[in-house]
Amino acid sequence: IGTDGAIYVADWYDPVVGGHQMQDTLNFGRIYRITPKNKKLTAPRIDLSNTAGQIDALKNPAVNVRFLAFEALKKQGDAVVEAVSNLLKDNNPYVQARAIWLLPQLGEQGKTAAISLLKDENEITRATALRSLRVTVTDILPYAVQLQNDPSAYVRREVAQALAGLPYEKAKPVLLELVKQYPENDKWYLNAVCGAFSGH
């Protein structure tokens, strides 16, 4: 994905499927640029020297640009919690998700902001917040306990996955709560819970 939002596809000719034997003597290939019909895309100016530019870059469709923005914002820590939190109001759910992933990596204020999202009305926000905390906290169990009776099976599946690998005696009370709430015929839920029980 380019910084302009276009999709770029690199293709080349090779008489052997899979490209394991480069036998192309013609050096024949193409790069396709795919854009929305009747829409002119332009590459934005990227400025990572200040917070506003970093926030804009975090919204960029190009993964390498987002990475640089993420790392630059992370270095600023608590100083950018408010600016990053404002992205939670963005119309693009992917931009919201990037903010949720970044928040707990911004220090204690960011972690507190991420924890507060465990009570958000949106199930995807709650699940993403739990995932982001798994990356940053040393003990996920208190947050798993908080969400063990979440009304969303989607969120409870995330709780089960968060418990995988924990000592059984620690995870057992929450796992048993999750089993009690098994929604019939939900194979995703079943697999998540079974994965957490694996080895115990």
Side-chain angles (χ1 to χ4, degrees):
I1 308 295
T3 60
D4 58 355
I7 299 172
Y8 292 84
V9 181
D11 188 23
W12 74 97
Y13 169 74
D14 189 345
V16 179
V17 174
H20 302 298
Q21 298 178 37
M22 301 297 287
Q23 298 176 9
D24 172 22
T25 57
L26 302 174
N27 298 318
F28 181 72
R30 289 185 173 89
I31 295 177
Y32 298 92
R33 182 175 182 263
I34 304 168
T35 64
K37 193 172 184 177
N38 299 323
K39 186 171 183 182
K40 183 177 178 176
L41 300 178
T42 56
R45 182 175 173 273
I46 296 165
D47 181 6
L48 296 170
S49 66
N50 58 68
T51 300
Q54 293 162 11
I55 291 288
D56 278 343
L58 192 64
K59 296 179 182 181
N60 196 279
V63 66
N64 56 315
V65 173
R66 294 199 308 266
F67 172 78
L68 292 173
F70 192 99
E71 291 299 309
L73 288 163
K74 189 163 82 168
K75 282 182 184 172
Q76 294 196 62
D78 285 333
V80 294
V81 168
E82 185 178 351
V84 172
S85 295
N86 286 336
L87 292 175
L88 298 171
K89 301 169 192 165
D90 197 278
N91 291 329
N92 186 330
Y94 298 104
V95 170
Q96 295 174 24
R98 291 170 204 162
I100 297 169
W101 273 101
L102 178 55
L103 278 170
Q105 298 187 48
L106 296 178
E108 285 305 311
Q109 288 181 35
K111 179 180 163 188
T112 300
I115 292 169
S116 72
L117 294 174
L118 297 175
K119 297 178 180 175
D120 193 88
E121 62 183 26
N122 185 309
E123 66 177 2
I124 295 176
T125 297
R126 296 195 302 274
T128 307
L130 182 64
R131 288 179 194 150
S132 72
L133 288 165
R134 285 177 67 186
V135 175
T136 53
V137 300
T138 54
D139 185 9
I140 197 64
L141 193 60
Y143 311 108
V145 170
Q146 185 176 333
L147 293 174
Q148 66 185 354
N149 294 307
D150 194 278
S152 165
Y154 175 73
V155 173
R156 295 196 311 274
R157 288 199 313 254
E158 287 300 323
V159 172
Q161 290 179 332
L163 297 175
L166 285 185
Y168 182 58
E169 288 309 313
K170 277 184 77 175
K172 179 179 176 181
V174 179
L175 287 173
L176 294 179
E177 278 301 314
L178 296 176
V179 169
K180 290 177 192 174
Q181 301 171 75
Y182 168 60
E184 192 174 352
N185 298 322
D186 187 334
K187 291 182 180 179
W188 295 104
Y189 192 101
L190 181 64
N191 283 332
V193 172
C194 286
F197 273 107
S198 180
H200 301 308

